[in-house]
Amino acid sequence: MEHQALGDSLWVFVIIGGFIILGVAIAIAKMRNKVTPEQERMTEEATHRLYEEQSREDAARG
């Protein structure tokens, strides 16, 4: 019976450790994935240009 308790506590440790590792990995990824205001502005401008181009193409098709 003691052997089973040891196995159960090992799984609890593995699961809790996995959640902690996953949380740390997500936090690090979010910190490294910062976008500067200039990058955001350039992305927005490019998106608007693509939408306008698509609208023109759609209007030309009828």
Side-chain angles (χ1 to χ4, degrees), residues 6-52:
L6 179 63
D8 289 344
S9 61
L10 178 62
W11 274 112
V12 169
F13 176 74
V14 167
I15 291 171
I16 292 172
F19 278 123
I20 292 170
I21 291 170
L22 180 62
V24 168
I26 289 172
I28 290 171
K30 287 181 77 77
M31 287 189 307
R32 293 185 69 192
N33 196 21
K34 298 285 183 188
V35 177
T36 65
E38 178 65 18
Q39 290 171 323
E40 181 72 24
R41 184 188 61 76
M42 290 172 53
T43 300
E44 289 294 322
E45 287 177 2
T47 301
H48 287 291
R49 281 195 307 270
L50 285 172
Y51 284 167
E52 289 171 6

Side-chain angles (χ1 to χ4, degrees), residues 51-62:
Y51 284 167
E52 289 171 6
E53 180 181 326
Q54 184 67 47
S55 293
R56 284 191 302 270
E57 289 176 4
D58 289 345
R61 277 190 232 142

